[in-house]
Structures are given as structure tokens and as C-alpha cells.
């Protein structure tokens, strides 16, 4: 009887949970697919979508993809992530020249993403690895911003965070610190989930690893909240009323400037219309006016008709005006120039764009590139770079100048502020890229720069989107694409320097050093593991 009761009272063993196993051929594709998806999430976090937060799960998925992988696999998976990210992000580069240049650019830039992910894989078994992995990502961005041909920083993770929680960190350490925080939060999120799942079956939680993972999420968020006081739109040095002119272009694409006089006339006419609105009391009188890059593709120094049109427009508004012009000397390279035009004295100062765009404003290796794409001959004469920092004194306001492509480079904006700029202008010409997302990506850069240096930023664009941005990154005036407009707003002027401005490249250098330390530590651990597993040779 007792034996029977015992047999009845003992509960049957719980059925074992069977793990779902994918077929071998399908399992091999899971991580590559996850790598591409992680890159796609990073792309979706960029403007014009207000989905900045998708970068965090994007890095979390990338962390799952890379952790524990061999170096070669890390590079390959990272390259796939780069394709998933950059193929859709940079599609505008083929808007008018075809798929070839777009695919070539993405293929080259994805190499940097692959190299960064190789480093992530190398440090992924270290304690607190998300810290080293996030630093490794910044190493990839730093390299991509410098080589080849002066670099191509488009697609820095920081540039997708203009609407995000982490944006105040731009004022702490610029785009490297902002990007590091986003990557750290994503890698830390994955690590926290991994630690919880790994140790759930054992019934105990390793407090150290879990705490490290939780801090990887908690610290970036807390730091962003703590940095909020650095973001201010208070007027330290009074205000200035600024006008940004968007004249529009007669046609889209590479041939937008075939009607150069029409482009100039559009901007002159819209300036004169603003002058009429001011006289009628419909608009406040600006202290100065900003035209976009290439608003006069006719050289006003060599073309008397162009000079007359500009003189009449600037004379009508009656305040200093910055004109974007193509200057064509008799010999040598062209100049992409901003001209300070006084209503009484005419041109009084110039700024030549310092970082001209490879394959756009000049063609490296022209004879070789021509083999693959005949469009290189549309650039029949190369532009050359200037060498002086651009700061104009406009009606008593020092205005820093970063022309179009230069806004992507940390140094090109920062040194205008260290040279005394109280306000930043980013005149641009996006007509070549049609109605693509390029203009929204570039506008987001300017919003990040506003917070990074605590300056108002004005973005006059030939065809849109033009905008006036406050030092806190918010937009107070914005145009529509391919619509003539004149944006006028009173903006605060500021002279204080943020930690990011003061520190310059030091935060980026520190993150590179952190990644190097992680790689060194990982190498030591690998060497020690090999010594432990190698057979011991007996001694006599």
C-alpha cells in the first residue's frame, strides 16, 4: 500500500523543452540576415523619419550578430551591416549619375563598417565588452571621416540623433561622444538581455556582469539628461535678425545650372521681393541676408551683368548680403566662393570652400574613373580648395561659414566658432540631388552642429530645404523643397564655448585609445588561453 501511494504521489517528470533547430542551410543565413537588418535599422533612424530610437535596437541586433565571432566573420557580417545601412542612406548619390557611382561609394564605405565590426568581434568576449565595442565603432567612423580623399563622414550615427534623447551629448564631446553613447546603449541592451537569458535556467544571476550591462544602458541615458543644461537658446550677446533666401532653380538634376542667369535672377528677385515686404511692413528688416551656395554660377568679378543684378538686389534690401558664387580665374582651378557684398561698396570679403567634394567638385584619378562613368566629364574644370577659415563680420555679427559638404566635417564647423563666430551659416546647393532624402540628412547635421557649439545655424539652400535653427537644435523657420522663399527670424547670438568646442578632437582620440586598450586586453587573453591549452614539454 505504501509503495503504491509513493508511486502515485510522485509527480511525473516535466517534459524537456526542445529547442527548435533550423535546417543547416537556413541556420547559416540567420546571422547574415540579422547583420543586414541591423544596418537597415540604423538607416531608418535617420531623417526625415523621426525614428532616432531605432539606432539602439539596431546596435543591439548588431551586438548579437557579432559577439563571439571570429575576426573574419566579424568583418564579413559588418560589411553586410554596412550595406544594409549605407545602400539606402546614400541612394541620392546616384540620383543623376546612375547606380554605378552610388554602388561604388557604398562598397568602399562599407569596408570601414566591416573593419569596425571586426574590432567589435575582437573585444566581444571581454568583461564590459559593450564599452570597448562602442569605442571600436567610433574608430571606424573616425577613419571614414579622413580617408580616402579627405574622408566621407556622411552617415555618422550622431547625425541621426537631431530629435533624440542623446542630442545634448553633442555639446559634451561632439559627434564622437554622441555616437559612442548611442552605440553603447544598444550593445549594453543586448548584453543585459543575453545575461538574463543565459543564467535564467541556472536560477541565479551573476550580479557583476548584469550590473555592467545595465550600466551600459543607464550611463548614456543619465549622461544625456545631465548634459541638458549645456543646451540653451539664451541670447548671451543680443540677437540678430537674419534672412535666408531660397530662390529655387529652373530645373532639377546635374543641368540645373545650365540656365545660370535664371538661378541668379531667382535669388535676386526673391531678395527684392523681401525688400518690398519690409517696406510694406509685412516682414521685419533683416540685419543681414544669406544666399545659398552657387546662387550665382556667373562669376560677378568677370561678368558685369551678374554684378549689376547682385548690386541691385543687395541695394534694394540695404544690408550686407552673402552671395554664393563660382569664381573662374583665367588659369588654375575654379573656386566655390562666398562673397560678402556690401550695399554701397560691393564685394568686400571672400571665403573659398576649403573641403571641396571629390567626384563632385573635382575628379581624382580622372582618366581611370572615366572608364567606368563618362559623367566625370561634366566636371570639365576642377574646383580647388581655399585655406582660410570663413568668418564674416556682418553688421557687427561674426558669422562662421561652412559650405554645404563641409558641415559633415567636425573641424570645418568647429574652427569657425573658435575664430569668434557668434552664428553659423551653412549655405548649400542640393538641386543636383532632386527630391531625395539628402537635404533632410544635411539639415539634421546642422541641427547637431547647433547643439554641439551652442550657436544658431542658418541653412540657405538653392532649392530647399532651407531653415533657421536655434542653438538648442530646434527649427524656427523652414522652407519647402523647390519653392522660392525668404525665411526671416530673430535669433540669439552666443559667445560661450561648449566643452565639445573647447576639447576639439580629444574626445575622439580618447575613444580611439579606449578601443586600442580593449584590443590589447583581448590579445593578452587570447595569448594566455593558448598557453594554457598548449601541451607542456617535459623538462629534464
Amino acid at each position: 500500500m505504501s509503495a503504491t501511494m509513493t508511486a502515485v504521489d510522485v509527480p511525473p517528470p516535466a517534459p524537456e523543452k526542445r529547442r527548435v533547430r533550423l535546417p543547416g542551410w537556413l541556420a547559416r543565413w540567420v546571422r547574415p540576415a540579422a547583420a543586414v537588418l541591423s544596418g537597415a535599422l540604423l538607416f531608418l533612424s535617420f531623417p526625415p523619419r523621426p525614428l532616432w530610437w531605432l539606432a539602439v535596437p539596431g546596435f543591439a541586433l548588431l551586438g548579437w550578430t557579432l559577439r563571439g565571432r571570429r575576426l573574419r566573420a566579424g568583418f564579413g557580417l559588418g560589411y553586410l551591416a554596412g550595406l544594409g545601412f549605407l545602400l539606402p542612406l546614400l541612394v541620392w548619390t546616384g540620383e543623376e549619375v546612375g547606380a554605378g557611382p552610388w554602388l561604388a561609394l557604398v562598397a568602399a564605405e562599407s569596408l570601414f563598417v566591416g573593419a569596425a565590426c571586426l574590432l567589435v568581434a575582437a573585444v566581444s568576449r571581454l568583461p564590459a565588452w559593450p564599452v570597448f565595442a562602442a569605442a571600436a565603432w567610433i574608430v571606424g567612423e573616425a577613419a571614414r571621416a579622413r580617408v580616402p580623399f579627405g574622408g566621407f563622414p556622411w552617415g555618422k550615427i550622431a547625425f541621426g540623433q537631431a530629435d533624440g534623447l542623446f542630442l545634448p551629448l553633442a555639446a559634451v564631446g561632439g559627434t564622437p561622444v554622441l555616437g559612442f553613447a548611442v552605440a553603447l546603449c544598444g550593445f549594453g541592451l543586448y548584453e543585459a538581455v543575453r545575461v538574463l537569458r543565459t543564467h535564467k535556467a541556472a536560477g541565479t544571476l551573476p550580479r557583476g556582469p548584469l550590473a555592467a550591462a545595465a550600466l551600459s544602458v543607464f550611463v548614456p541615458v543619465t549622461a544625456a539628461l545631465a548634459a541638458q543644461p549645456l543646451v540653451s537658446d539664451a541670447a548671451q550677446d543680443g540677437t540678430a535678425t537674419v534672412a535666408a533666401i531660397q530662390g529655387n532653380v529652373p530645373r532639377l538634376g546635374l543641368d540645373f545650372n545650365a540656365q545660370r542667369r535664371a538661378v541668379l535672377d531667382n535669388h535676386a528677385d526673391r531678395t527684392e521681393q523681401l525688400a518690398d515686404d519690409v517696406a510694406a511692413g509685412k516682414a521685419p528688416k533683416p540685419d543681414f541676408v544669406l544666399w545659398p551656395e552657387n546662387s550665382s554660377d556667373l562669376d560677378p568679378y568677370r561678368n558685369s551683368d551678374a554684378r549689376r543684378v547682385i548690386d541691385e538686389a543687395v541695394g534694394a534690401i540695404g544690408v550686407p548680403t552673402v552671395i554664393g558664387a563660382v569664381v573662374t580665374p583665367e588659369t588654375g582651378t575654379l573656386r566655390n566662393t562666398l562673397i560678402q557684398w556690401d550695399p554701397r561698396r560691393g564685394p568686400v570679403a571672400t571665403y573659398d570652400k576649403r573641403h571641396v567634394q571629390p567626384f563632385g567638385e573635382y575628379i581624382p584619378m580622372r582618366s581611370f574613373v572615366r572608364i567606368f562613368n563618362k559623367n566625370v566629364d561634366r566636371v570639365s574644370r576642377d574646383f580647388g580648395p581655399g585655406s582660410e577659415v570663413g568668418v564674416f563680420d556682418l553688421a557687427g555679427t561674426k558669422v562662421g561659414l561652412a559650405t554645404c559638404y563641409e558641415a559633415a566635417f567636425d573641424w570645418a564647423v568647429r574652427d569657425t566658432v573658435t575664430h569668434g563666430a557668434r552664428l553659423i551659416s551653412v549655405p548649400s546647393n542640393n538641386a543636383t540631388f532632386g527630391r531625395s532624402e539628402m537635404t533632410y540628412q544635411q539639415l539634421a547635421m546642422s541641427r547637431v552642429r547647433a547643439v554641439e557649439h551652442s550657436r544658431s545655424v542658418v541653412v540657405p539652400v538653392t532649392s530647399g530645404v532651407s531653415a533657421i535653427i536655434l542653438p538648442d537644435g530646434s527649427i524656427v523657420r523652414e522652407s519647402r523643397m523647390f519653392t522660392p522663399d525668404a525665411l526671416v527670424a530673430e535669433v540669439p547670438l552666443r559667445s560661450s564655448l561648449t566643452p565639445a568646442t573647447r576639447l576639439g578632437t580629444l574626445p575622439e582620440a580618447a575613444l580611439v585609445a579606449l578601443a586600442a586598450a580593449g584590443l590589447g586586453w583581448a590579445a593578452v587573453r587570447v595569448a594566455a588561453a593558448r598557453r594554457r591549452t598548449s601541451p607542456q614539454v617535459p623538462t629534464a
Side-chain angles (χ1 to χ4, degrees):
M1 182 67 176
S2 176
T4 304
M5 290 181 61
T6 301
V8 172
D9 292 342
V10 174
E16 293 184 5
K17 293 183 179 180
R18 293 186 178 180
R19 296 181 62 182
V20 177
R21 293 188 177 275
L22 297 174
W25 65 270
L26 184 57
R28 286 194 295 269
W29 288 100
V30 170
R31 286 189 188 273
V36 174
L37 179 57
S38 68
L41 290 175
L42 295 182
F43 159 69
L44 292 172
S45 72
F46 274 68
R49 293 159 296 277
L51 303 176
W52 58 269
W53 51 271
L54 280 179
V56 174
F59 277 110
L61 183 58
L62 185 62
W64 175 82
T65 305
L66 297 173
R67 187 180 184 279
R69 300 297 97 188
R70 294 178 181 272
L71 300 187
R72 185 171 63 180
F75 177 83
L77 292 168
Y79 193 81
L80 291 175
L83 294 177
F85 175 32
L86 297 175
L87 271 172
L89 186 79
L90 301 179
V91 67
W92 50 267
T93 60
E95 183 78 14
E96 294 295 331
V97 295
W102 162 50
L103 296 176
L105 175 64
V106 170
E109 296 300 312
S110 295
L111 292 172
F112 291 94
V113 180
C117 290
L118 179 152
L119 302 182
V120 171
V123 301
S124 64
R125 293 188 182 277
L126 294 175
W129 69 268
V131 177
F132 300 107
W137 180 270
I138 299 305
V139 170
E141 289 192 342
R144 194 157 62 89
R146 289 168 170 81
V147 293
F149 310 118
F152 187 77
W154 215 282
K156 274 189 170 186
I157 291 302
F159 294 146
Q161 297 297 306
D163 291 304
L165 169 69
F166 300 101
L167 180 60
L169 291 173
V172 176
T175 58
V177 168
L178 175 52
F180 172 77
V182 177
L184 176 59
C185 197
F187 289 139
L189 177 63
Y190 161 66
E191 179 64 3
V193 172
R194 187 191 71 83
V195 170
L196 287 172
R197 291 191 63 184
T198 300
H199 297 280
K200 184 177 179 181
T204 60
L205 284 176
R207 295 182 179 180
L210 183 60
L215 285 173
S216 297
V217 178
F218 179 75
V219 169
V221 173
T222 303
L225 296 175
Q228 189 63 46
L230 294 174
V231 181
S232 173
D233 62 359
Q236 294 175 327
D237 301 289
T239 63
T241 301
V242 59
I245 301 298
Q246 178 174 303
N248 204 12
V249 297
R251 63 171 68 108
L252 309 187
L254 290 175
D255 294 323
F256 77 93
N257 62 354
Q259 299 181 26
R260 296 181 176 186
R261 177 58 188 269
V263 176
L264 172 57
D265 285 346
N266 285 353
H267 288 84
D269 291 346
R270 194 61 192 84
T271 303
E272 291 170 358
Q273 182 181 337
L274 174 61
D276 292 341
D277 291 342
V278 170
K282 296 179 181 179
K285 184 175 177 113
D287 296 312
F288 51 89
V289 175
L290 303 171
W291 285 17
E293 175 191 32
N294 301 149
S295 46
S296 175
D297 277 325
L298 293 172
D299 184 348
Y301 295 109
R302 296 168 57 84
N303 188 302
S304 59
D305 197 35
R307 179 166 186 145
R308 179 185 57 80
V309 170
I310 297 172
D311 268 332
E312 290 177 356
V314 176
I317 195 65
V319 298
T321 302
V322 177
I323 310 297
V326 174
V327 175
T328 57
E330 288 283 357
T331 60
T333 54
L334 304 176
R335 289 291 188 270
N336 188 338
T337 301
L338 299 176
I339 306 172
Q340 179 180 343
W341 209 284
D342 185 85
R344 291 179 299 278
R345 296 180 292 159
V348 295
T350 60
Y351 166 67
D352 294 333
K353 186 177 182 180
R354 291 176 291 164
H355 200 308
V356 292
Q357 182 183 353
F359 304 103
E361 292 173 305
Y362 77 100
I363 306 297
M365 307 179 298
R366 182 183 290 269
S367 58
F368 176 75
V369 175
R370 187 184 291 113
I371 298 172
F372 304 97
N373 195 306
K374 302 299 183 183
N375 280 310
V376 298
D377 292 326
R378 289 176 180 259
V379 183
S380 58
R381 186 176 174 186
D382 287 340
F383 282 81
S387 58
E388 301 294 326
V389 178
V391 178
F392 287 168
D393 189 329
L394 302 177
T397 298
K398 288 190 174 183
V399 177
L401 307 167
T403 305
C404 195
Y405 182 60
E406 292 181 320
F409 295 86
D410 295 345
W411 60 267
V413 181
R414 181 176 59 246
D415 62 10
T416 69
V417 179
T418 58
H419 280 72
R422 301 292 186 262
L423 178 148
I424 298 169
S425 175
V426 184
S428 302
N429 175 20
N430 296 339
T432 304
F433 306 109
R435 298 184 181 276
S436 69
E437 294 183 358
M438 182 269 189
T439 188
Y440 300 104
Q441 295 169 10
Q442 190 175 55
L443 179 58
M445 292 179 192
S446 295
R447 295 179 63 193
V448 173
R449 298 304 185 196
V451 173
E452 181 180 8
H453 301 294
S454 194
R455 295 292 187 271
S456 298
V457 178
V458 182
V459 185
V461 184
T462 50
S463 55
V465 173
S466 300
I468 299 177
I469 305 165
L470 294 182
D472 63 1
S474 61
I475 298 174
V476 292
R477 295 287 187 276
E478 183 176 2
S479 71
R480 292 182 296 173
M481 293 182 71
F482 297 100
T483 303
D485 209 342
L487 309 179
V488 184
E490 183 180 13
V491 297
L493 303 177
R494 294 178 61 82
S495 57
S496 62
L497 301 182
T498 63
T501 308
R502 294 179 185 276
L503 292 172
T505 60
L506 287 178
E508 185 179 63
L511 291 173
V512 170
L514 178 62
L519 291 171
W521 188 9
V524 169
R525 286 166 60 94
V526 169
R530 286 177 177 172
R531 285 196 300 269
R532 286 195 299 269
T533 57
S534 61
Q536 298 295 317
V537 178
T539 58

